[in-house]
Amino acid sequence: RRQERQPMHTSTLRSFLFLLATLPRLLHAATYYIAPTGNDANSGTSQAQAWKTIGRVNQISAQLQPGDKILFERGGVYRGKLTISSSGTAGNKIEVGAYGTGSQPVLSGSVAVTGWTVHSGNVWKASVAQPVKHVYSNGQMLTIARYPNTGWLRNDLGTATSLQDAGLTQGSGYWTGATLVIRTTNWSYDTARVTAHTGTTLTHTSTGNNIGDDNWGYFLRNKLSELDAPGEWFYD
């Protein structure tokens, strides 16, 4: 007996075509694992083959597909900047998360400093390979050595490149090379480098604002001899 073929319903056909279109993306979704005990030479696609660093993740960030996951093992600290340079979709995101037990993983932009030796007294020093903007200890941001340790000094008369303060008592030259942080307008603070110090006058790189006799506040920082309080730091 001849059997008649029944036509496929339009809505069924659309669903079928949609499934075929999305199937490659669903099959491609991958999960990448990163752990403190991992190895960047691993495949990264299982906990047993976890990578070790953020840098290794960044190497494949442009190849990430919608639905992919990046999971950091809990309890670990991972240093560097995580860059995701590809995009997921509203319904199929690229996810960054965690796996394992313990505290949440920490992604830190800081670089661990090692090799500390005594400079003098309770002042320690170490070499670093890049300029220093901030220093942290036990997760707390420390204060760069400054004068005064708290509060502000006051400008008596200044220009865009100089400042006079009768309250300065240090000998000429003492503040040369230090950093000056000064309020120069109602809405801004500027940072300048002191290029000369004579008596009560500081000459510095230009702030672009002539402060005249405005009694703006300022302080000086990043001078080794002002490293006089616990938790302060100085960078040469």
Side-chain angles (χ1 to χ4, degrees), residues 20 29 38 43 52 63 74 138 159 186 189 194 205 222 228:
L20 289 179
S43 66
K52 185 178 179 67
Q63 286 77 51
R74 288 184 170 88
N138 295 323
T159 68
N186 278 325
Y189 295 86
V194 178
T205 52
N222 200 37
D228 56 4

Side-chain angles (χ1 to χ4, degrees), residues 33-103:
Y33 298 87
I34 305 91
T37 57
N39 189 317
D40 284 349
N42 290 340
S43 66
T45 54
S46 70
Q47 295 182 26
Q49 285 287 310
W51 290 330
K52 185 178 179 67
T53 68
I54 290 176
R56 183 64 182 88
V57 179
N58 291 342
Q59 290 177 10
I60 56 95
S61 67
Q63 286 77 51
L64 292 171
Q65 299 295 316
D68 286 354
K69 296 181 180 180
I70 301 167
L71 302 181
F72 292 86
E73 187 177 34
R74 288 184 170 88
V77 176
Y78 308 89
R79 299 189 181 277
K81 177 183 179 181
L82 179 63
T83 301
I84 305 298
S85 52
S86 49
S87 299
T89 65
N92 202 20
K93 300 177 176 64
I94 295 173
E95 298 182 19
V96 178
Y99 73 97
T101 60
S103 59

Side-chain angles (χ1 to χ4, degrees), residues 71-151:
L71 302 181
F72 292 86
E73 187 177 34
R74 288 184 170 88
V77 176
Y78 308 89
R79 299 189 181 277
K81 177 183 179 181
L82 179 63
T83 301
I84 305 298
S85 52
S86 49
S87 299
T89 65
N92 202 20
K93 300 177 176 64
I94 295 173
E95 298 182 19
V96 178
Y99 73 97
T101 60
S103 59
Q104 293 288 8
V106 175
L107 275 63
S108 175
S110 63
V111 176
V113 179
T114 59
W116 292 92
T117 59
V118 174
H119 176 73
S120 65
N122 198 30
V123 176
W124 295 67
K125 63 183 178 182
S127 296
V128 291
Q130 61 280 314
V132 178
K133 292 185 177 180
H134 304 287
V135 176
Y136 298 83
S137 177
N138 295 323
Q140 299 297 314
M141 188 169 72
L142 305 183
T143 300
I144 190 169
R146 57 165 283 178
Y147 176 82
N149 284 334
T150 60

